[in-house]
Amino acid sequence: MLFWPVEIDRRKQYYRFFTYGLIHADWIHLLFNMMALYSIGLYLESYLFTYPHIFGDKGKYFYLALYLSAIIVSPIPDYFKHRKNYAYRALGASGAVSAVVFAGILIKPDMGLYFMFIPFEIPGYIFGVIFLALSAFLARKGGGNIGHGAHITGAIYGLLFTIVATKLYSGFNAIENLIDIISRRY
């Protein structure tokens, strides 16, 4: 079930692009991902994906599509980077959680978020910059067992999915509504 690019490449085990997101290294890993998903996901589901002018009663399907497709999309760059690296393996839903977090940041950039163990809220747009910069630095540094590349890809995907899904589903007016929602915050 692990995301193992060598096995995907050699044995055509494409199901691994999805199954790795269903397993976690330990309870702490699972708990951290699910707490982040729950805290941002509740906001995103109740505000964006049930907002009647954007997705209406289809909002829950868009939310589910965001999360499930982000599981598949977020490891794609790591696949190309590591498909000859027998030692590389990954697991967990962190890339999909990043997609949900950044979709939430797009909708409400000033949303207060906590970062690691800092005891005060950070505005979403600042959190996003710090998160991406830290993930890029740690991905470049290498080592460790955290899929920083999947975090970055998931974050970008969350932004793009929200914009494109809004455009495709509701047409130009939905984009105006999305911009209106964001601009009301300032």
Side-chain angles (χ1 to χ4, degrees):
M1 290 179 70
L2 291 171
F3 180 73
W4 196 356
V6 168
E7 291 297 303
I8 294 169
D9 194 45
R10 184 173 5 146
R11 296 187 183 181
K12 310 300 182 217
Q13 296 177 342
Y14 298 112
Y15 63 88
R16 291 178 183 269
F17 275 101
F18 183 75
T19 59
Y20 84 98
L22 304 176
I23 57 177
H24 289 75
D26 53 34
W27 286 104
I28 300 293
H29 183 206
L30 177 64
L31 185 64
F32 188 78
N33 274 337
M34 293 305 104
M35 284 178 57
L37 180 64
Y38 181 75
S39 62
I40 303 296
L42 272 180
Y43 167 76
L44 190 60
E45 184 177 1
S46 69
Y47 189 76
L48 173 66
F49 294 118
T50 58
Y51 193 77
H53 300 293
I54 296 179
F55 296 120
D57 60 348
K58 306 270 189 296
K60 292 179 181 172
Y61 300 115
F62 281 93
Y63 181 75
L64 187 61
L66 166 65
Y67 184 76
L68 294 177
S69 64
I71 289 174
I72 295 167
V73 170
S74 61
I76 289 174
D78 287 332
Y79 168 75
F80 288 108
K81 182 178 180 181
H82 297 288
R83 65 183 174 180
K84 304 298 181 204
N85 180 354
Y86 191 80
Y88 182 83
R89 296 173 182 100
L91 73 160
S94 301
V97 173
S98 291
V100 171
V101 169
F102 275 76
I105 290 172
L106 176 65
I107 301 307
K108 188 174 180 190
D110 61 343
M111 172 185 359
L113 297 171
Y114 291 92
F115 188 69
M116 300 294 283
F117 301 106
I118 298 173
F120 54 87
E121 287 185 353
I122 300 171
Y125 64 94
I126 294 173
F127 173 89
V129 170
I130 292 169
F131 181 82
L132 288 175
L134 185 60
S135 292
F137 171 76
L138 293 172
R140 187 167 293 157
K141 181 180 174 188
N145 293 322
I146 299 174
H148 300 290
H151 293 165
I152 296 167
T153 305
I156 294 167
Y157 181 74
L159 297 171
L160 294 176
F161 181 94
T162 303
I163 293 167
V164 170
T166 302
K167 176 73 172 149
L168 291 177
Y169 181 72
S170 301
F172 187 72
N173 289 337
I175 294 293
E176 289 176 351
N177 289 338
L178 180 62
I179 293 168
D180 183 52
I181 291 167
I182 294 168
S183 66
R184 275 190 259 153
R185 300 288 177 207
Y186 299 103

